[in-house]
């Protein structure tokens, strides 16, 4: 049980912003940062509603045809945490003590604070709170306020404040400032440009009461936020019981035990906890790159969902997986419009955004990442394969057809095969290249899957022949001399990056070098070819050669990189390296390895840590006969692991001990 | 003489904006658009001072390290043309007649207008005006106002108005709007951000006079604008005599006679006239892409100067050429800073701008056009070769060294040779490629020239060995099968553009297709490899094969394209095609072939028309022994041509008749 409790002592960085993120609570609809009840300097309190965004026109230094038109920014909403607490003539302004106990097992956060007045009167504030998973519109709090060393009249004002989005002064401040406008009307707020409404119902608290020394005053507060003006009667204790029950059900299937390493155990549980909390459940919202825990990446959804988060959900919480995939089904018409705007057939999903419209303002590292189409198709296919839910795929299959149509229209047949030019792969340190290996692999898979569905449903007969043909003839560059997979047509002819001459403070490179300097060198931000190898079991020797070549060129400047390298290392029997990558991935936010957890969790990496353990250490794979199989790659640093997966409605328990034991 | 007079009948498009551009007057410092004296609908009057710009921070949808920081916009200044003319109770608001006579021989514009009141009273306004080349701070006007069919008291108010820059509503309107603020203080105006000042001295006219029927009132107005608060006494008639003298001297050397084709004759003269008018003379200003005749391209200087305009000036007006090159000498320190910012050695000149700082907000078609460095070096070298002015080069040689240093730092040695990656060539329909042929050629030439100067001046000994080595080993891609020069490493492997399926209204492509769609196809905006062939005499058969391959893929969406294709066609003996390209180039603005002359002249094309005739029809070239030589490529449509060039201080007259005559 103890290893389900997260305290401040577990954190690698106890800066205010970091605490707010790591202890943030969310339920897929609503997220609340865990800021202290008395506002601190550097605090960034606020709440978020999944998919609730404001849009603002993108201003380009130089515009061109087909560029994304609007920014979308998840709105930073009410501060539901700050209270004003005072005596008649003194404020409790000085923080004396802070304790947080996040019970990940139940999704309930307990906090204790001691604040003092300038003259030394101390008060204790205990807060129990949770974002309800039983009623996702509710954030529930129970307060206990105790006079520690005095008696007197205490005044408490607790009214949720609207918070303006923070201004990022480094990059395009004007655009961000413009996004703060909200129109309030009774219990409703509306965004100006995106014209989205949100209703709220708050129990405002504004009271004065007398406390004797040691006496405690208790009160409950319930905040409700909804896209509809419809609120149910709710009861704190009922919701709390339900919360515990729902979390129990979650952990029953999704938990991972890492025996013999408390730190990693806590890290992975924190990751799974946040994955469960921030995933959209309604088919209209998805999983933001930073979940519902912070403003980073403007609350946008990326390929992170399909390639880093969905495996976890597909294998352990298939209903959530289905919701996340439904989001893409609902976006299909917008994706078709986008392809048409760009003069291509089929559908092109946006690289980033919330509504389904492309919002990437730098297309070489945005729209050009066409692999998003293949990523989405891959996730549907994996969902079907693992859950056996053919009904859903029957309903959703247009997603697969339309993305396949896009590839046929965007690519072309040459004497070398079917080629796809002018794309950017996952590795954003190379852009606008031809025949990116990962992209071509994903497109190929997309086309085969579309062909298979067309066969199964006996439709698109003529077209599907072209899909099959393009998939069969897909071009993959290969260096015959060095026997290395080419990341793209030009990568191997680039100049090597001079790592020896790169000072440590110049990482991540993207903040210290112009894109031209980065793009023209052999240097990677993150796994690219190796990610494809992780998905499509590659011959082990080939994988080893590619890993030997690409790993030393990889900066891991992206938080999406380490987990994949970890899985590859496991498969190659490079246990020590696998352990190292996995460790970084498991405790990335717990230890604040990326240094910016204050902006929100690194959700994709959290999903990646599950991959590292399940795909990596436990070697989950499909045999050539299509059978699910495992393989023990447990590094010697870990005694044993234990977890469950759901496969075609059956729960399978997996337990691996140290090899040799 | 008649063929020096330009009238409205010569114009292919007599829309207001077009007239304002074509009849605009300028003297290298000051430019005035030829708007009518009574303000018309759609009029875009205004004046410009070369190099007088406002800067505004560039807002990026997504910013990154090393991006250009500020826009620079040539300020649209006073309307020096509009007057208010009225009777006590009626305005002369209706334009009845308009005649313009631009005497290109003298640089003096004569205009006659008849305006009517609503009741039919008609007044004639005759205006003689010029932007003085003797005193470049002066714009001089002589007005004659005649009552045609009435008598009465006429009121004339003539006070220069400040004009706000037009808002381009399609692209980044906010940025443009921000550029309108000017601070006025007595006879001085100052820009807010760039903090540049301009002094002015105007004879304001505000008078009432009585005219009998047929009677004429004359008055002279002198406008003076200067960067310093220093104005000389001036006299209209003196300035007019000097103007005629200066223009006489210009035409004495720079005129081209095209015998037997009045239309082309007028076209080429108009081009030479504008080239003479808009070139900066002070070493601190240059030649804007639209001269001083309009706001297009924000008044920016580009490589247009070095590659399209300087040949004309070098061969006929070397003093102007020297001024334009001095501008680059003065910018060298900024160009060195820029290279350093991008983490390279040497100097990198800006792709576009006024102050010398990079202002291109889309680096793939901006900063990535590194060939600007080679273009500048080429122009210095040509200047030296043609004028023999070694003294200037001795002073300016750091420009050549520093640009050479940049190439060494940006490129790298591989097993294929010296390679230059991640660049954009002149053809902006392909971007961020490796080993663009034109770029590598220009870099090679730059390196050789630097090596030669180092030898001559006995300096940079060790370094210059690397320059020579990189130049010698410069890599050029070649398709051995088809025997075609590769535009870049990937061009020949791209998908061909489907010209048959491209509707005419979809040109220029850049306005109708996303860059990714354009970049991934074999389609050119303008001459790229062929421009290199024009400069570096390529084997004629190679040139023919390359022309056969690249010409059909070229849209000529850039106004810089046709002239070069014309020269190539001449050299290949494809006279008919050469004539067609030359014709388009000679009358591009006269006939408004690009459809946007209203935004200002296409200066580079004007220089290009000189190239078409001198490099093309007259076959100017250097023999392998380095001797200047000509070759008759006159197409049958043209009877004869006659022109002069200056070569090493000697004037050479060239006369070519129809071949066979």
């Amino acid at each position: 049980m103890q290893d389900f409790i997260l305290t401040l002592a577990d954190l690698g960085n106890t800066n205010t912003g970091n605490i707010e993120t790591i202890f943030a609570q969310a339920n897929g609809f609503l997220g609340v940062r865990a800021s202290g009840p008395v506002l601190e300097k550097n605090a960034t309190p606020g709440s978020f509603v999944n998919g609730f965004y404001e849009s603002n026109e993108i201003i380009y230094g130089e515009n061109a045809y087909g560029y994304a038109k609007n920014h979308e920014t998840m709105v930073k909403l009410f501060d539901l945490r700050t209270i004003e607490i005072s005596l008649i003539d003194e404020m409790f302004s000085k923080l004396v003590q802070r304790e947080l106990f996040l019970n990940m097992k139940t999704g309930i956060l307990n906090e204790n604070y001691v604040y003092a007045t300038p003259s030394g009167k101390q008060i204790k504030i205990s807060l129990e709170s949770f974002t309800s998973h039983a009623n996702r519109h509710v954030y529930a709090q129970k307060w206990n306020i105790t006079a520690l060393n005095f008696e007197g009249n205490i005044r408490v004002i607790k009214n949720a404040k609207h918070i303006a989005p923070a201004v990022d002064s480094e990059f395009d401040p004007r655009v961000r400032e413009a996004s703060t406008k909200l129109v309030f009307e009774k219990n409703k707020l509306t965004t100006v440009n995106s014209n989205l409404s949100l209703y709220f119902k708050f129990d405002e608290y504004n009271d004065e009461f007398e406390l004797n020394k040691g006496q405690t005053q208790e009160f409950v507060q319930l905040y409700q936020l909804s896209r509809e003006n419809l609120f149910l009667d709710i009861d704190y204790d009922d919701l709390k019981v339900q919360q515990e029950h729902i979390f129990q059900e979650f952990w029953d299937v999704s938990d991972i035990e890492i025996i013999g390493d408390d730190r990693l155990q806590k890290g992975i549980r924190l990751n799974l906890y946040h994955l469960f909390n921030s995933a959209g459940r309604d088919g209209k919202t998805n999983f933001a790159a930073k979940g519902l825990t912070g403003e980073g990446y403007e609350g946008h959804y990326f390929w992170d969902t399909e390639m880093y988060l969905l495996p976890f959900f597909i294998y352990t919480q298939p209903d959530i997986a289905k919701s996340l995939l439904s989001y893409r089904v609902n976006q299909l018409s917008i994706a078709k419009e986008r392809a048409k705007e760009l003069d291509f057939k089929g559908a092109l999903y946006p690289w980033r955004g919330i509504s389904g419209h492309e919002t990437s303002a730098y297309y070489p590292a945005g729209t050009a990442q066409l692999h998003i189409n293949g990523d989405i198709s891959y996730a549907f296919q994996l969902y079907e394969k693992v859950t056996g839910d053919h009904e859903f795929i029957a309903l959703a299959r247009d997603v697969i057809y339309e993305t396949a149509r896009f590839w046929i229209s965007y690519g072309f047949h040459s004497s070398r095969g079917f080629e796809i030019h002018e794309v950017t792969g996952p590795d954003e340190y190379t852009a606008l290249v031809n025949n990116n290996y990962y992209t071509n692999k994903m497109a190929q898979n997309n086309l085969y899957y579309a062909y298979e569905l067309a066969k199964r449903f006996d439709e698109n007969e003529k077209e599907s022949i072209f899909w099959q043909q393009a998939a069969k003839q897909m071009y993959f560059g290969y260096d015959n001399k060095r026997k290395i997979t080419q990341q793209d047509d030009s990568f191997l002819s680039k100049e090597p990056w001079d790592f020896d001459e790169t000072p440590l403070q110049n990482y991540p490179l993207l903040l210290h070098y112009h894109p031209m300097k980065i793009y023209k060198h052999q240097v990677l931000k993150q796994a690219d070819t190796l990610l494809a190898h992780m998905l499509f079991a590659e011959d082990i020797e080939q994988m080893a050669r590619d890993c030997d070549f690409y790993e030393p060129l990889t900066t891991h400047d992206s938080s999406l990189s380490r987990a994949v390298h970890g899985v590859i290392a496991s498969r190659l029997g490079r246990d020590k390296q696998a352990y190292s990558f996995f460790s970084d991935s498991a405790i990335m936010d717990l230890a604040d390895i990326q240094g910016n957890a204050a902006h929100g969790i690194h959700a994709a990496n959290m999903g990646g840590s599950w991959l590292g353990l399940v795909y990596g250490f436990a070697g989950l794979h499909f045999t050539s006969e299509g059978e699910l199989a495992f393989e023990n790659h447990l590094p010697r640093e870990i005694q044993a692991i234990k977890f469950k997966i759901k496969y075609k409605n059956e729960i399978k328990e997996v337990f691996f001990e140290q090899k040799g034991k």
Side-chain angles (χ1 to χ4, degrees), chain A residues 99-152:
Chain A
E99 293 175 328
L100 289 97
F101 302 91
L102 175 62
N103 188 342
M104 298 188 283
K105 188 92 182 173
T106 60
I108 292 168
L109 174 63
N110 281 92
E111 298 157 83
N112 297 313
Y113 298 86
V114 175
Y115 289 99
T117 65
S119 71
K121 286 168 191 156
Q122 292 195 345
I123 202 159
K124 180 179 174 188
I125 301 177
S126 294
L127 173 60
E128 180 179 86
S129 66
F130 57 93
T131 43
S132 171
H133 278 249
N135 180 341
R136 296 185 198 284
H137 301 119
V138 177
Y139 175 52
Q141 295 176 331
K142 183 179 278 177
W143 298 81
N144 276 286
I145 294 175
T146 310
L148 290 182
N149 59 356
F150 68 96
E151 59 176 51

Side-chain angles (χ1 to χ4, degrees), chain A residues 479-544:
Chain A
D479 180 331
N480 284 311
K481 240 188 206 162
R482 288 185 277 184
K483 299 193 182 303
I484 289 169
T485 306
Q486 287 182 2
Q487 180 169 317
D488 58 62
D489 280 2
S490 64
F491 190 85
L492 298 185
S493 72
K494 286 178 199 271
E495 186 182 3
W497 181 270
D498 192 343
F499 287 96
D500 293 339
E501 289 296 310
T502 308
L504 272 180
Q505 67 268 25
N506 280 8
Y507 295 90
L509 301 182
L510 65 100
L511 296 184
H512 301 92
Y513 299 96
H514 190 279
M516 282 166 63
K517 171 114 189 181
I518 296 173
Y519 294 172
K520 83 188 187 73
H521 282 94
Q522 284 182 359
V523 60
L524 281 79
K525 187 179 177 194
Q526 66 199 90
D528 192 299
T529 302
L530 296 186
L531 176 56
H533 287 351
M534 183 186 93
L535 303 175
F536 306 102
E538 179 57 85
D539 163 74
I540 201 88
E541 283 172 20
Q542 183 61 51
M543 193 150 65

Side-chain angles (χ1 to χ4, degrees), chain A residues 201-214:
Chain A
K201 187 177 170 199
F202 296 164
D203 305 334
E204 302 283 1
Y205 188 90
N206 187 337
D207 203 6
E208 217 176 300
F209 46 85
E210 205 184 331
L211 286 183
N212 292 325
K213 192 149 63 168

Side-chain angles (χ1 to χ4, degrees), chain A residues 437-438 485 487 524 526-536 538 542-552 554 556 561 564-565 567-569 571-572:
Chain A
Y437 180 79
Y438 175 86
T485 306
Q487 180 169 317
L524 281 79
Q526 66 199 90
D528 192 299
T529 302
L530 296 186
L531 176 56
H533 287 351
M534 183 186 93
L535 303 175
F536 306 102
E538 179 57 85
Q542 183 61 51
M543 193 150 65
R545 281 192 304 273
D546 288 341
C547 187
D548 288 343
F549 180 75
Y550 287 108
E551 205 284 319
T554 305
H556 306 295
S561 190
V564 176
H565 277 263
V567 174
I568 297 289
R571 295 207 186 145
L572 294 176

